[in-house]
Amino acid sequence: MGKKDERWDIYDANRKKTGRTMQRNDWHMAPGDYHISVLGIVTNDEGKFLITKRAMDKEWAPGALEVSGGAVIAGEESDEAIKREVGEETGLDLTGATFTLIDSYRNDSAAEKNNYFVDIYHVRAHFTKADINVQEEEVAGFRLVTYEELLSLVKTTEFLHWARLRDDFAAIAAGRI
């Protein structure tokens, strides 16, 4: 199934599957209907964060910095989606990686007709810069950065979801997660 014909499960406000699905990016969700997305804060053995830059032809936020992530497709669970999304976008071999759910939130946006849950994972993997092979349709580039370098980047460059991810990055950098 290609991305254009991708389907997402629809959940209720309590995060229970409704038995219905929706077409990917069909922003005509009824109040009380939700889909699930995942974000992965990826670190390597040196404790560096893998940050990607969105492809310049993306409809939303082209060229912005972000962490790997995407939608949970129909029939998939959140933990399966994060493994798939990080693997697809970075080309990393995730054998031996650990995936820890560290945060989750719900967003209600009646004006945009786009309601969703987001699960945020910490992905610890064994890799170096040479192991990264980004998916060019999604990613224009990447950086491996320390926490201090990350804090400098977000002062000058748009970083998607930063307000939601800031505390998670800090906890990981401090060794609390």
Side-chain angles (χ1 to χ4, degrees):
M1 173 173 16
K3 285 207 178 221
K4 290 185 180 187
D5 56 346
E6 184 176 285
R7 302 218 41 98
W8 299 343
D9 286 314
I10 298 175
Y11 296 79
D12 67 18
N14 296 313
R15 202 173 162 141
K16 302 289 185 218
K17 286 184 181 179
T18 64
R20 296 177 288 128
T21 63
M22 63 181 277
Q23 180 65 37
R24 174 184 191 262
N25 292 339
D26 180 16
W27 308 132
H28 295 90
M29 301 182 77
D33 284 351
Y34 299 82
H35 66 92
I36 299 178
S37 291
V38 294
L39 296 172
I41 300 175
V42 180
T43 58
N44 68 4
D45 295 329
E46 297 174 353
K48 290 190 174 181
F49 295 97
L50 175 56
I51 305 304
T52 57
K53 180 179 179 180
R54 289 174 65 83
M56 296 307 290
D57 62 353
K58 296 294 267 182
E59 185 177 328
W60 179 70
L65 299 179
E66 66 179 348
V67 295
S68 292
V72 176
I73 59 175
E76 188 176 52
E77 297 299 326
S78 170
D79 61 334
E80 296 168 317
I82 194 61
K83 292 172 185 174
R84 176 182 49 76
E85 287 288 350
V86 170
E88 285 175 0
E89 293 179 11
T90 67
L92 289 174
D93 176 358
L94 298 171
T95 304
T98 60
F99 296 82
T100 306
L101 179 64
I102 58 173
D103 202 358
S104 189
Y105 67 91
R106 186 178 98 184
N107 185 74
D108 293 86
S109 181
E112 295 176 343
K113 295 185 179 180
N114 181 20
N115 306 317
Y116 53 86
F117 293 96
V118 177
D119 290 343
I120 303 170
Y121 287 84
H122 179 202
V123 181
R124 290 186 182 116
H126 311 288
F127 68 94
T128 64
K129 189 175 182 178
D131 298 318
I132 300 167
N133 182 25
V134 297
Q135 182 183 31
E136 293 179 5
E137 305 82 44
E138 300 281 335
V139 180
F142 70 91
R143 294 180 185 193
L144 278 174
V145 297
T146 64
Y147 180 63
E148 292 74 24
E149 291 168 330
L150 176 64
L151 292 178
S152 289
L153 274 175
V154 300
K155 289 178 184 176
T156 60
T157 309
E158 180 183 12
F159 195 107
L160 300 181
H161 315 291
W162 179 248
R164 291 285 188 173
L165 296 171
R166 177 181 38 237
D167 291 344
D168 296 326
F169 273 107
I172 292 167
R176 295 190 308 267
I177 294 178

